[in-house]
Amino acid sequence: MELVLIAIIILLLLLLIKEVIQPLHALMSVMFAFLLFSLLFSTLLVPLVKQLMELFSFLSYAKLIFISASLFYVGQWVAMLLAEHGYKLLGHIVFDGVKIVIVMYWLKEFLTVLQEVSAILQRIM
């Protein structure tokens, strides 16, 4: 409930800024969007991911999947926000960077699995 009240207060402040100081509206809307997203991230997304990781702890790659999905969601949101404000190229760069981070995160696990498969194949031959 407090999240809804905070969003309403931010909306009212943005409307006030838009009417009074038009040139600062874009800057303030981005600042408020990041503040609201950080609040959403810390109060909703992080506890949800922790609960899901505990629930699916019996799966070997559940942690990687949930962290990858969270990073993908955050990257997509930032890219969308940047594209809305006219920085579409920067949004694509940020989103591609997030994808590279996810691939690098999975690459560590893939290398360990690849080494185990290689060891098994060497034993067979």
Side-chain angles (χ1 to χ4, degrees):
M1 185 66 185
E2 78 179 46
L3 193 61
V4 174
L5 290 174
I6 290 172
I8 291 171
I9 291 170
I10 287 174
L11 176 67
L12 292 174
L13 285 172
L14 283 174
L15 289 173
L16 178 68
I17 290 170
K18 186 176 183 178
E19 293 298 322
V20 176
I21 313 168
Q22 181 65 33
L24 286 179
H25 181 259
L27 175 68
M28 296 303 263
S29 68
V30 171
M31 287 173 44
F32 283 142
F34 275 111
L35 287 173
L36 187 60
F37 182 75
S38 68
L39 181 67
L40 280 170
F41 190 77
S42 64
T43 59
L44 296 176
L45 190 62
V46 170
L48 174 69
V49 169
K50 284 182 182 179
Q51 269 187 332
L52 288 174
M53 283 193 306
E54 289 174 9
L55 184 65
F56 295 108
S57 62
F58 61 92
L59 297 174
S60 59
Y61 294 110
K63 179 181 177 184
L64 290 170
I65 292 170
F66 291 126
I67 290 175
S68 298
S70 299
L71 284 174
F72 189 83
Y73 175 70
V74 169
Q76 188 177 21
W77 180 80
V78 170
M80 181 190 67
L81 183 67
L82 288 170
E84 269 184 22
H85 289 283
Y87 299 106
K88 193 172 184 176
L89 180 63
L90 185 60
H92 285 298
I93 292 171
V94 167
F95 197 49
D96 289 341
V98 168
K99 290 180 205 174
I100 291 170
V101 167
I102 291 171
V103 168
M104 289 175 58
Y105 193 66
W106 276 91
L107 195 61
K108 294 175 188 174
E109 291 297 320
F110 179 70
L111 287 176
T112 58
V113 171
L114 190 63
Q115 288 173 350
E116 291 175 11
V117 170
S118 175
I120 291 171
L121 288 175
Q122 286 178 355
R123 288 183 200 163
I124 292 174
M125 295 182 172

